Amino acid sequence: MTPLLEVRGLTKAYGGRIGCAEVSFTLWPGEVLGIVGESGSGKSTLLNCLAGHLAPDAGQVIFDTRGEGPRDVLAMTEPERRMLGRTDWAFVHQNPRDGLRMRISAGGNVGERLMAVGARHYGEIRAQAADWLARVEIAEGRIDDRPSAFSGGMQQRLQIARNLVTGPRLVFMDEPTGGLDVSVQARLLDLIRGLVRRMGLSAIVVTHDLAVVRLLADRLMVMKDGRVIETGLTDQVLDDPQAPYTQLLVSSVLQA
Amino acid sequence: MSGTDYNFAYLDEQTKRMIRRAILKGVAVPGYQVPFASREMPMPYGWGTGGVQVTAACLVPEDRLKVIDQGADDTTNAVSIRKFFQKTAGVAVTERTAEATVIQTRHRIPELPLTEDQILVYQVPIPEPLRFLEPSEVETRKMHALEDYGLMHVKLYEDIARHGEIATAYAYPVKVEGRYVMDPSPIPKFDNPKLESAALQLFGAGREQRIYAVPPYTRVVSLDFEDHPFDPSKAAHPCALCGAEDSYLDEVIVDDAGGRMFVCSDTDYCAGRREAAA
């Protein structure tokens, strides 16, 4: 089997400071990889380098494209990368305001990716938008409301719908449940888990919330100071942490 | 000060060369916004400084100039610009579309089909069609470069979702020669089909420092959806003065009791029809 994403020696420095260094891993189709670590450990830098938002200093990001098989994303031209970014890839931001167009209706937000890849039939675009709103549990009657009239949890669900409408194969998530209260978090996680399993998505989830990776991730990568210090199956890493920092991280969680 | 104190058509020759280079580049790449070093003109921004500079760069002494503002030859903007070139270039002027060689326009295309011997110069307030969709100019330029125009349809989608139809009535976005999406300046969408013309069409935006062009016989397609096709609508009346049913109409309030009349916005077209009927 070909890995969906293969990362080799990815390095990004901000001047003299290290963003992330020598990160390598392989992501298989249908797999969810969690990346945990404290603030400033390089998780978001790594995710942004992978998704093409930041240009890394060294390394390769090899993605198994639909048409041409494995290709180095960093060597692609900008139009190719953009096309990938709105077809096979999706990016869910921590703050829905970064991932949504706040002045455009929910239906327009979901339809944007469709129109960006050439959909030109209003009725079909709208039907697909309505279908996706239903899948993320947003009432159909709200299709013409702007995201600014939505609650935080709804905005996050709308962002997910907007990203998944083109049937991507790889989803990047940056703290998808950050800033939501626990009951909303639980429902959102439930929804994401259901979608990921049903659509057979692969996902890379960056978070500092161990409960999130426990629920979502198959495998876990622990980062500290820009380097990967421990990898393994999620339960294995969380229940039997080896690295001192991982032990600290796991023991820092309050037991309710 | 007498007119002879100016160089021909106000601008110095170096400036005109610079503008002509921008125009040539615009003609070579239809619909592409060419940056140019826009000059201060003796009129405020928003009054046609871009159009005036393009006209100045195009004029030759043998030209016959027509200036229209919202279709009319006799409004302040049109009269002032016509006088400006009479004084600084000494060119002949006319109100007749058919007789003009250069026509500077604000917000209309003349009803009479233009010919290969004519140049139509538009005054453009905002050249960037994506301006109100994407605030970053860096990003919009990138979108033009990568032909990343999905967002334009998002705007049309929003129109239909909110109003049941594409409610954009002027400055209706077009795709030029299958490549660049262009703002045709705030002409009514009724005029959009006339953008496919035998005349050379030049667009000047003074404050925004951009020039773009649609060469003769260039394909210009108004953006739409398959199930909501482009509709060049107009008021459903004949002209109250000349009876024309095929021209774009202005609604004029004639009293304070709700009385109104619809008249041709193109004054020369209307006058010509009335002369012919008389």
Side-chain angles (χ1 to χ4, degrees), chain A residues 78-79 82 86 101 103-105 107-108 112 115-116 119-126 129 143-144 146, chain B residues 133-134 139 142-143 146-151 153-154 156-158 160-162 224-228:
Chain A
E78 176 87 20
R82 283 200 174 206
R86 57 187 181 223
R101 292 193 186 274
R103 307 181 64 173
I104 282 171
S105 70
E112 181 179 346
M115 291 182 249
R120 292 290 179 265
H121 192 284
Y122 175 80
E124 284 167 16
I125 293 167
R126 197 168 170 82
I143 188 168
D144 291 332
R146 293 180 181 188
Chain B
L133 305 169
E134 172 55 59
E139 181 60 22
K142 212 180 258 180
M143 291 162 77
L146 300 175
E147 225 177 322
D148 190 356
Y149 290 132
L151 204 50
H153 272 87
V154 174
L156 301 180
Y157 171 95
E158 286 291 286
I160 302 173
R162 211 169 298 158
D224 59 3
F225 284 103
E226 287 161 17
D227 47 348
H228 283 86

Side-chain angles (χ1 to χ4, degrees), chain B residues 69-82:
Chain B
D69 169 10
Q70 303 272 17
D73 290 276
D74 52 4
T75 51
T76 316
N77 197 231
V79 170
S80 308
I81 292 174
R82 191 163 56 227

Side-chain angles (χ1 to χ4, degrees), chain B residues 16-52:
Chain B
K16 285 197 263 182
R17 286 185 64 182
M18 174 271 293
I19 295 173
R20 284 175 197 143
R21 278 198 293 268
I23 292 173
L24 287 175
K25 186 166 179 182
V27 170
V29 192
Y32 171 70
Q33 300 166 44
V34 185
F36 79 110
S38 177
R39 298 289 194 251
E40 291 274 343
M41 296 302 283
M43 59 172 72
Y45 287 126
W47 283 67
T49 51
V52 164

Side-chain angles (χ1 to χ4, degrees), chain B residues 94-106:
Chain B
T94 179
E95 294 196 358
R96 303 207 172 227
T97 305
E99 290 173 10
T101 53
V102 177
I103 304 172
Q104 178 168 339
T105 176
R106 171 175 176 269

